[in-house]
Amino acid sequence: MLTFLALASVVLLGIVPEQSQAIVIYTGWERHALLGSDIRLSCSFFSWRWTSEDVTFSWTYRPDGSRDSISIFHYTGGVAYVDNKGPFRDRLEFVGNPGRRDGSILLKNLEFSDNGTFTCDAKNPPDIVGRPSSVRLLVFEKVPIQAGVITGAIIGVVLGLLVLIVVIYYLMRFLVARRVFSLSVSKHGKKKKEGSQQRQLWTPPPLTCYPLP
């Protein structure tokens, strides 16, 4: 009876379809680029499953000031498809590696009109439940210096000055200690030399002999 129940359990477990789990998708938050340059928009995902042969990546684009998104790229079945009618039909290249869960794309010859939000979605069957991730692209004639860069530079300078002060402090202590030790050794040697000279210069008084009466 127990053997029958065990076999029935194995059969039932084999019949029940594999449940899907959540997939987590990652992109950057905001990217800055120069007018006319190229930029890579990264997209990757985390899944508890092995990377499936049926993995898919999809990119959509929503221009600034617009509520509607358009599909610009899709990868499925090992083949990359670029939208042949959108604004990136001649300026988009797939540079990802699906086997390594990388669905990155490269945008070429950027224009001011490319400013907008790019959204990546990925599926790794049976893990197909996940929230797409978005990155905003800002194209400038000159890339502005971000506040974080300035803050990081200030912190770096302050830390460098502190390290320099500490090094100078310990160097001065070392030099002073060395000087004191040299003076002490010199003074001790001088006293020892003077004592030796005094012993060498002292001679006993001569003996005077008187004739016996």
Side-chain angles (χ1 to χ4, degrees):
M1 184 63 179
L2 293 176
T3 304
F4 174 77
L5 291 175
L7 291 174
S9 301
V10 171
V11 171
L12 289 175
L13 289 174
I15 294 175
V16 175
E18 190 177 13
Q19 294 182 351
S20 63
Q21 297 184 6
I23 183 173
V24 183
I25 304 168
Y26 304 95
T27 61
W29 179 68
E30 184 174 280
R31 298 296 309 276
H32 295 172
L34 285 173
L35 178 67
S37 65
D38 302 343
I39 191 169
R40 177 189 178 112
L41 299 182
S42 300
C43 177
S44 59
F45 67 86
F46 170 80
S47 172
W48 289 105
R49 313 283 182 179
W50 292 101
T51 305
S52 171
E53 294 181 356
D54 299 324
V55 63
T56 65
F57 290 96
S58 298
W59 281 91
T60 59
Y61 165 65
R62 180 172 58 82
D64 281 349
S66 175
R67 296 183 178 180
D68 300 325
S69 298
I70 59 175
S71 176
I72 59 173
F73 175 80
H74 188 69
Y75 175 91
T76 183
V79 181
Y81 299 92
V82 179
D83 177 45
N84 58 3
K85 295 181 180 179
F88 303 100
R89 58 185 179 275
D90 299 322
R91 300 186 294 124
L92 189 152
E93 179 183 350
F94 180 59
V95 292
N97 186 342
R100 295 187 176 181
R101 305 183 175 190
D102 182 5
S104 303
I105 58 175
L106 181 70
L107 302 181
K108 303 177 181 180
N109 193 20
L110 293 176
E111 304 171 356
F112 287 125
S113 58
D114 296 335
N115 287 333
T117 302
F118 294 79
T119 302
C120 176
D121 192 12
K123 308 293 183 187
N124 185 41
D127 293 352
I128 58 175
V129 180
R131 186 175 183 178
S133 182
S134 298
V135 54
R136 190 173 181 222
L137 174 64
L138 297 175
V139 181
F140 296 94
E141 188 173 358
K142 293 182 179 179
V143 177
I145 300 177
Q146 300 180 1
V149 176
I150 298 177
T151 304
I154 294 175
I155 294 175
V157 171
V158 172
L159 290 177
L161 289 175
L162 289 175
V163 172
L164 182 61
I165 291 173
V166 171
V167 171
I168 293 175
Y169 171 74
Y170 281 102
L171 180 61
M172 293 298 296
R173 287 192 59 180
F174 172 76
L175 293 176
V176 170
R178 184 178 179 181
R179 178 63 176 172
V180 171
F181 177 77
S182 299
L183 291 175
S184 177
V185 171
S186 177
K187 187 175 181 181
H188 181 72
K190 186 176 181 181
K191 287 183 177 180
K192 186 176 181 180
K193 185 177 181 180
E194 290 177 352
S196 176
Q197 289 178 350
Q198 289 178 358
R199 286 195 298 270
Q200 291 178 0
L201 293 176
W202 182 84
T203 54
L207 294 176
T208 303
C209 297
Y210 297 95
L212 294 174

